[in-house]
Amino acid sequence: VRESGDRFLATICGYVYLEDQHLSIHPPLWLAPDLMTVYFIHLQQAAPLPALRDEWLFEALAELEVSHGIDKTAISTLCHTPPKSDIVEAVLIAQGTPPIPGADTMVDHPFQIGKQAGKILPDGSIDLRDRNSVVGVEEGQPLGKVISATKGIPGKNLIGENIETTDGKEIFFKAGENVRGEGDPPHAFFAEINGNIYITSDTIDIKEVFIVDGDVDYEVGNIDTTHDVQINGNISAGFIVKSGGSISVGGLIEAGAVLSCGGDIIAAQGIVGDGTQVTAQGVISMGSILTKFIQNSTVMAKGDIEVGSYIFNSKVRSGTTIRVHKEGGVRGGSIVGGETFASQSIHCHIGGSQSTSTTIIGINPDPANSARIAKLDKAIAFCESNIVRLLRTMGLQTIDAARIKAAMNQAPINKKKVMVEIVKKIYELVETRDISANERAALELQQSQLLDKGEITIEGTLYSGIRIVMGKNSQILTIDSQDLTFYNSSGVIRSRPPSHQSA
């Protein structure tokens, strides 16, 4: 603002403020801190707003040193049809050019890769045709072409400064088991056999499929193969199926059967019976399990466990998440009896029942991490006990560099060499102990952070007597409740209404 006789004149377009007898004008433009956007800010007006003029806004942009990304069309539209005087609005009138990172080398496959949710039918069973856990290919079929990494495209902010970006990473894909690559390095891949395709970070493999057209029974016998296994019928009571890949069962896994595999397990009609054990190790994939129901069984998966209808009186353990859908009648969506644990989250619709005394649902750390911590504890204890034993041979109780040096100086000449070896061993044990202790502390922190993110959501009825477990803490519900999410907060189990409703 400048004075002109008894008048005040605006030197820029803006909003007038009177504060402490000082008259000032604030520009109507807001420049984002990252210098990538400018908005015209329209505030409610105490008096009619003068007609906006293009040149006022261009002058205001020049004051902000904006030279790139000015949207002349937006400015023209704003000036011809400004917001109404009683409306508060932000109008984008300039935008920088964001950088575009380069894309990594990839393989363009002629089919969809990756698991789909899979269709869960009204009775809770699984429609295997809609599940993409494995992709079948035929001999000679093209598996994909390599698309090279691309260069990144720099951006530019509103004041004309370049914004650097990164180029895509060059990855060399390899032809794995039963796959032929064309070129060196390969630029295209083809199937050498009929089978299922598996893709890791940089390798394409095909596994043969062991197909059983009916049931696994006395006519077929136990199965132990490195191939994927496709069983179109049931796995009869007491039989064993082991696979280095995935196992797909079109029917039921009956009482006493034992399944283990390096990939996923899909049981379209359910898992039932005392002594039944189903384990997806996750050597090739994360190892997930998808089934209609789990009853009186022990089921473990490194990855997700998804159940179409219910879990009853079973021991179920997932290294990630467990979800029970509410299909298949009155039991649908329920976890009743037994112990159900996941490392990240559990979602169901009914927890416990009026007739079942004990139902345990909990979040516990990844069993692999827990096993590693237990192993580290043994290693630390071994190191510490041997450090104490070796110190005693030198007449010492603690590691003290000065006392160790004095003990070595006082030792007879014929024992100095032995003393040197003892001291060397002590420091090797100390180093091993400290490395193990640091790794243990990192795993403990990781488990604590995962526990704080863990949730148990029951979108329906929770019956009294159900035990909720979060890590080392647990609580038993004393009254029936509805719609709760349990979580860990500062070592205390807390609850709240579910944040969203799910099918």
Side-chain angles (χ1 to χ4, degrees):
V1 177
R2 66 179 176 84
E3 294 184 43
S4 176
D6 59 351
R7 294 185 300 171
F8 295 95
L9 300 177
T11 59
I12 64 170
C13 168
Y15 296 107
V16 177
Y17 285 83
L18 180 62
E19 186 176 7
D20 297 331
Q21 303 301 312
H22 290 281
L23 191 66
S24 60
I25 295 179
H26 289 199
L29 305 185
W30 179 77
L31 174 61
D34 63 0
L35 305 179
M36 290 298 286
T37 52
V38 172
Y39 285 87
F40 173 84
I41 308 298
H42 182 272
L43 303 175
Q44 288 181 328
Q45 303 300 306
L49 182 70
L52 281 173
R53 292 166 55 182
D54 294 22
E55 59 265 28
W56 291 350
L57 296 180
F58 289 127
E59 288 172 6
L61 289 169
E63 288 287 332
L64 295 173
E65 299 183 359
V66 173
S67 60
H68 172 73
I70 298 172
D71 189 339
K72 294 180 180 179
T73 301
I75 292 174
S76 177
T77 302
L78 176 64
C79 292
H80 285 87
T81 55
K84 295 181 179 179
S85 60
D86 60 343
I87 292 178
V88 176
E89 187 175 352
V91 180
L92 181 67
I93 62 171
Q95 187 167 22
T97 304
I100 302 175
D104 294 345
T105 306
M106 61 171 288
V107 177
D108 183 20
H109 300 286
F111 38 73
Q112 185 176 7
I113 295 295
K115 284 178 275 191
Q116 301 172 22
K119 185 176 180 181
I120 296 176
L121 300 174
D123 66 348
S125 61
I126 313 303
D127 187 343
L128 297 182
R129 295 169 299 178
D130 282 2
R131 181 68 174 172
N132 200 39
S133 57
V134 292
V135 177
V137 295
E138 297 180 354
E139 181 180 354
Q141 180 177 335
L143 304 179
K145 295 181 179 180
V146 175
I147 298 177
S148 300
T150 60
K151 296 284 187 181
I153 302 173
K156 184 179 287 189
N157 65 21
L158 293 173
I159 65 174
E161 296 174 335
N162 286 334
I163 304 172
E164 297 302 321
T165 188
T166 56
D167 294 333
K169 182 181 178 183
E170 196 69 48
I171 301 171
F172 296 99
F173 288 89
K174 299 187 289 289
E177 182 181 1
N178 300 315
V179 173
R180 175 174 61 84
E182 241 181 37
D184 186 19
H187 57 80
F189 299 94
F190 299 87
E192 290 190 323
I193 63 167
N194 296 342
N196 292 332
I197 186 169
Y198 287 89
I199 299 172
T200 58
S201 58
D202 63 353
T203 306
I204 302 173
D205 296 283
I206 293 178
K207 278 193 169 291
E208 293 185 52
V209 183
F210 184 96
I211 298 176
V212 178
D213 208 24
D215 298 337
V216 173
D217 51 20
Y218 286 101
E219 184 176 345
V220 175
N222 295 328
I223 297 171
D224 188 349
T225 177
T226 59
H227 304 158
D228 284 353
V229 176
Q230 176 184 321
I231 299 163
N232 295 331
N234 301 326
I235 299 179
S236 301
F239 284 88
I240 299 171
V241 178
K242 295 181 180 180
S243 165
S246 294
I247 300 174
S248 172
V249 183
L252 191 72
I253 300 175
E254 297 181 1
V258 176
L259 276 74
S260 65
C261 73
D264 301 329
I265 294 174
I266 306 169
Q269 294 298 324
I271 302 168
V272 62
D274 292 333
T276 303
Q277 298 179 34
V278 178
T279 306
Q281 302 286 358
V283 175
I284 295 175
S285 68
M286 275 299 291
S288 63
I289 293 175
L290 177 62
T291 188
K292 177 180 178 180
F293 64 83
I294 301 172
Q295 180 172 319
N296 298 322
S297 304
T298 298
V299 175
M300 297 181 65
K302 185 175 181 180
D304 299 338
I305 296 177
E306 191 169 1
V307 181
S309 187
Y310 65 86
I311 297 174
F312 178 77
N313 197 31
S314 297
K315 292 184 177 181
V316 181
R317 186 71 169 88
S318 163
T320 52
T321 66
I322 296 173
R323 176 174 289 272
V324 184
H325 296 264
K326 55 181 178 181
E327 308 297 341
V330 294
R331 278 189 173 184
S334 66
I335 299 177
V336 177
E339 302 176 0
T340 301
F341 284 95
S343 295
Q344 296 177 9
S345 68
I346 296 175
H347 188 285
C348 66
H349 298 268
I350 300 172
S353 73
Q354 293 177 331
S355 59
T356 303
S357 58
T358 305
T359 299
I360 300 174
I361 302 177
I363 300 293
N364 262 347
D366 185 340
N369 277 4
S370 298
R372 180 60 182 165
I373 288 174
K375 189 174 181 179
L376 290 169
D377 284 339
K378 290 182 180 180
I380 292 168
F382 173 83
C383 292
E384 289 180 342
S385 64
N386 279 279
I387 289 169
V388 170
R389 179 178 60 81
L390 292 172
L391 286 170
R392 284 175 180 168
T393 64
M394 299 180 67
L396 301 174
Q397 294 183 338
T398 60
I399 297 174
D400 184 305
R403 291 185 178 182
I404 289 174
K405 185 176 180 180
M408 291 183 66
N409 290 335
Q410 294 169 8
I413 294 176
N414 62 340
K415 291 187 177 181
K416 283 188 181 294
K417 186 175 181 181
V418 174
M419 293 285 278
V420 169
E421 290 300 319
I422 291 174
V423 171
K424 182 179 177 182
K425 186 64 177 177
I426 288 173
Y427 282 107
E428 286 176 354
L429 288 166
V430 168
E431 183 180 9
T432 301
R433 180 198 64 187
D434 291 347
I435 290 172
S436 298
N438 289 337
E439 183 182 349
R440 189 191 190 286
L443 287 173
E444 283 276 15
L445 177 61
Q446 181 184 3
Q447 290 196 341
S448 175
Q449 292 172 338
L450 288 173
L451 185 60
D452 287 342
K453 295 179 181 178
E455 290 186 348
I456 300 169
T457 297
I458 303 176
E459 293 186 11
T461 303
L462 296 82
Y463 288 96
S464 62
I466 185 175
R467 181 189 292 272
I468 300 296
V469 178
M470 306 289 288
K472 297 178 182 179
N473 301 315
S474 68
Q475 71 175 47
I476 298 176
L477 270 64
T478 57
I479 59 172
D480 293 352
S481 303
Q482 289 284 328
D483 301 330
L484 289 175
T485 291
F486 297 91
Y487 62 98
N488 180 69
S489 177
S490 303
V492 177
I493 298 175
R494 304 186 187 278
S495 63
R496 63 171 184 265
S499 57
H500 61 278
Q501 299 295 311
S502 301

